[in-house]
Amino acid sequence: MTVERFDVVIVGAGIVGSACARECAAAGLRVAVVEGGVPAGGATAAGMGHVVVMDDSPAQLALTVYSRSLWTAEAERLPAEAEYRSRGTLWVAADDDEMGEAQAKYRTLGEAGVASALLSPAELRDEEPNLREGLAGGLLVADDGVSYPPASARYFLAESQRLGGKVFFSTAVSARDGEVRLPDGTVLAADCIVIATGTDCALLPALPLKKRKGHLVIMESAPGFVHHQVVELGYIKGANNMAQDSVAFNIQPRVSGKLWVGASRQYGDENPCVDEWMVKRVMDRATSYMPALRRLTVERSWAGFRAATEDKLPLIGPAKGLSDDPTLWLAVGFEGLGITCSLGAARLLADSLMDRKSVIDPAPYLPIRMSA
């Protein structure tokens, strides 16, 4: 049996685990990452890559604002393949009720120091000419961004290695009592084991996570067809619905000119295959907002899973309350905000490990809240 010693062992090399590895290595900790599949090949690969401020709760707002600021600071260092762009998010209001939601969102973001602008129907069409007539207006959050998640995650993982971290391409047979055991008998010993495995709860079955299946569609290249990440305000209702399947219009322009269209949410379906009927629902919803999409060709579609918690906040920090093992820590449960929150979660985790004061209060994300 071979024993290797580290300060931190992180299980999972998605964007959250990779960001945590880089942050811990940058803090001077001896870091190991264990990944049994392709790095960033799970939820990270299935995600849209939207870096967005969300305000369903004060804690969600605080974490997404903080994380977005870290992405902005990181932008110039990211490699070209990460495709980071400050596209801005254009929230579209279909009727007067949704315009009221846009106005409330505008006030909430303003109180948090986030710049945004309310748009009239004419201003909305000026920003996105391919939107249909008859919409009530919108809200533009100009500093939100877009990134290609797998490339960003690979960069963070490579940076952790450059800083002295070590990556083990192997499954973790067990992770407990300061030891991560690999199938070949290798033992990685550490004071802290961070589980960052997305929807995979095998190492800690007590994780209070639900899988939410989602579909995305790639359209043919159409440069200039869309200028921002465009999202209907009804998306928020779908994201907050924790029981029923839903779809909402969400479209993103990529650097290549291709268009990524979403989004759907399903509960209780753990089949990873694409549901063609759901793809049709997604496209029907999209074309109801942008009829000209009918002229473009769908190139491919895929499905993936998000790991959701009941209160829609991630689990970041010691697993106390969910495990009696003081060496276990968590960085899971981000649902659709794993890309956005990866950098903020990594900083909060490293702050706690290094006994540093965090920029935002880490208490709302501590796993112990779930023991109640």
Side-chain angles (χ1 to χ4, degrees):
M1 183 176 67
T2 301
V3 178
E4 296 195 42
R5 299 194 175 277
F6 301 89
D7 296 314
V8 183
V9 176
I10 297 167
V11 185
I15 197 165
V16 172
S18 296
C20 288
R22 184 190 65 159
E23 196 70 43
C24 290
L29 298 174
R30 293 170 297 167
V31 177
V33 179
V34 179
E35 172 56 57
V38 177
T44 300
M48 209 172 201
H50 191 190
V51 178
V52 57
V53 168
M54 294 291 284
D55 61 338
D56 289 345
S57 66
Q60 186 187 74
L61 179 61
L63 182 57
T64 55
V65 170
Y66 179 46
S67 295
R68 192 188 71 171
S69 73
L70 296 177
W71 274 102
T72 301
E74 189 79 32
E76 292 186 0
R77 293 188 290 271
L78 290 169
E81 55 268 27
E83 298 184 12
Y84 187 85
R85 300 289 187 276
S86 292
R87 298 282 189 188
T89 303
L90 186 55
W91 294 94
V92 177
D95 52 34
D96 290 341
D97 286 344
E98 288 189 358
M99 196 62 205
E101 293 177 26
Q103 291 163 349
K105 192 176 186 72
Y106 171 76
R107 291 190 294 271
T108 299
L109 296 183
E111 291 168 0
V114 176
S116 63
L118 290 166
L119 304 181
S120 67
E123 291 170 328
L124 182 67
R125 287 296 300 273
D126 286 342
E127 293 288 343
E128 293 292 349
N130 281 309
L131 284 169
R132 67 171 171 84
E133 297 280 0
L135 296 169
L139 177 71
L140 177 59
V141 186
D143 295 329
D144 285 352
V146 168
S147 183
Y148 180 52
S152 297
R154 288 193 294 266
Y155 168 71
F156 298 145
L157 187 62
E159 282 293 285
S160 75
Q161 292 174 285
R162 184 182 65 80
L163 294 166
K166 190 170 181 179
V167 179
F168 293 82
F169 292 100
S170 173
T171 56
V173 175
S174 64
R176 184 167 181 82
D177 299 324
E179 293 183 347
V180 175
R181 294 179 177 269
L182 308 184
D184 65 359
T186 299
V187 174
L188 310 180
D191 295 330
C192 173
I193 301 169
V194 180
I195 296 177
T197 49
T199 59
D200 185 354
C201 301
L203 293 175
L204 185 58
L207 282 174
L209 301 177
K210 290 186 177 182
K211 281 187 176 181
R212 301 189 79 173
K213 185 176 181 179
H215 288 73
L216 288 177
V217 179
I218 290 186
M219 310 291 292
E220 66 175 285
S221 182
F225 188 93
V226 178
H227 305 287
H228 310 83
Q229 177 104 22
V230 183
V231 190
E232 64 164 297
L233 275 157
Y235 178 94
I236 299 172
K237 298 174 186 175
N240 290 342
N241 187 332
M242 300 294 283
Q244 297 178 340
D245 295 351
S246 64
V247 297
F249 171 54
N250 188 350
I251 190 166
Q252 178 187 102
R254 303 301 308 182
V255 171
S256 63
K258 295 184 186 297
L259 305 175
W260 289 18
V261 181
S264 68
R265 281 176 165 80
Q266 294 167 259
Y267 269 129
D269 183 352
E270 298 195 9
N271 185 337
C273 296
V274 170
D275 299 317
E276 294 299 337
W277 62 270
M278 182 58 82
V279 171
K280 183 179 185 303
R281 281 189 64 184
V282 168
M283 290 308 302
D284 286 347
R285 189 69 178 180
T287 54
S288 74
Y289 278 84
M290 282 188 167
L293 281 170
R294 295 189 181 96
R295 301 197 302 264
L296 303 180
T297 301
V298 172
E299 292 194 344
R300 65 187 179 96
S301 57
W302 71 88
F305 296 97
R306 314 171 181 94
T309 62
E310 287 288 350
D311 63 3
K312 297 175 291 179
L313 293 175
L315 307 172
I316 307 169
K320 185 177 180 180
L322 300 175
S323 170
D324 59 1
D325 182 351
T327 68
L328 283 187
W329 290 50
L330 303 176
V332 294
F334 293 85
E335 217 258 301
L337 290 171
I339 311 303
T340 294
C341 294
S342 56
L343 298 186
R347 187 66 58 86
L348 289 177
L349 189 82
D351 287 344
S352 186
L353 287 170
M354 300 298 293
D355 199 24
R356 303 182 307 210
K357 182 175 176 58
S358 296
V359 172
I360 64 172
D361 182 7
Y365 324 106
L366 291 174
I368 195 171
R369 73 183 191 275
M370 293 308 210
S371 64

